[in-house]
Amino acid sequence: MGKRQAGFNPYRMNRDRERLEHIRDAVMRIKSYTASLTESDFLTDNMLQDAVLYQFSIIGEAIAHVSDDLLCKYDYPWYAVRSFRNYITHQYFGINLAKVWATVAINLPELETVLNRIIDSETFR
């Protein structure tokens, strides 16, 4: 049998792809939930808020399980994704929903672009 490359772990690569796809699915759900809505719509709809917050929790949890070796190859503030999940989870009683809406409107499209670039560029074995 041939030698494996140092640091290469095919199981890890498949798990990374799986987690990235979970994140992409969560991004797509948030986009579908909020399509054609205004900030005012979001701020007055508790069920919509819950759905969006849950998907952001999934994003943050999944990104915490993607290898740092992979993420560091792409210029993006990954710490912010993890921090946002922690904010939602631990500050559930005082979440600034306007901040959540701003994240949907401003940060989510960029995250989606980077995710697609990673999934399309990397060779997952």
Side-chain angles (χ1 to χ4, degrees):
M1 298 195 104
K3 283 185 161 181
R4 289 189 177 182
Q5 291 176 301
F8 174 72
N9 182 336
Y11 173 75
R12 180 81 219 175
M13 293 299 289
N14 286 333
R15 294 290 293 180
D16 284 347
R17 182 179 183 94
E18 181 181 29
R19 298 296 183 158
L20 292 168
E21 288 174 352
H22 291 167
I23 297 165
R24 185 166 57 182
D25 289 347
V27 167
M28 297 306 294
R29 285 177 185 243
I30 293 170
K31 286 177 59 179
S32 73
Y33 299 160
T34 60
S36 74
L37 297 180
T38 66
E39 181 177 1
S40 179
D41 295 330
F42 178 73
L43 295 176
T44 58
D45 187 332
N46 291 337
M47 190 163 37
L48 175 61
Q49 295 162 12
D50 290 348
V52 168
L53 290 171
Y54 180 71
Q55 295 306 316
F56 273 122
S57 292
I58 290 172
I59 292 168
E61 186 64 24
I63 204 69
H65 295 283
V66 175
S67 68
D68 288 337
D69 290 342
L70 176 61
L71 295 179
C72 73
K73 293 166 43 176
Y74 297 88
D75 185 29
Y76 189 81
W78 300 111
Y79 67 90
V81 178
R82 293 179 186 119
S83 295
F84 198 61
R85 179 257 179 214
N86 292 339
Y87 169 71
I88 290 167
T89 302
H90 300 291
Q91 298 297 320
Y92 61 88
F93 52 87
I95 294 173
N96 180 336
L97 293 170
K99 179 179 177 180
V100 174
W101 180 257
T103 302
V104 169
I106 297 166
N107 303 107
L108 203 62
E110 182 182 1
L111 176 60
E112 180 181 29
T113 298
V114 173
L115 283 171
N116 288 332
R117 189 171 347 125
I118 294 171
I119 292 169
D120 293 344
S121 300
E122 292 295 324
T123 303
F124 298 99
R125 301 171 194 177

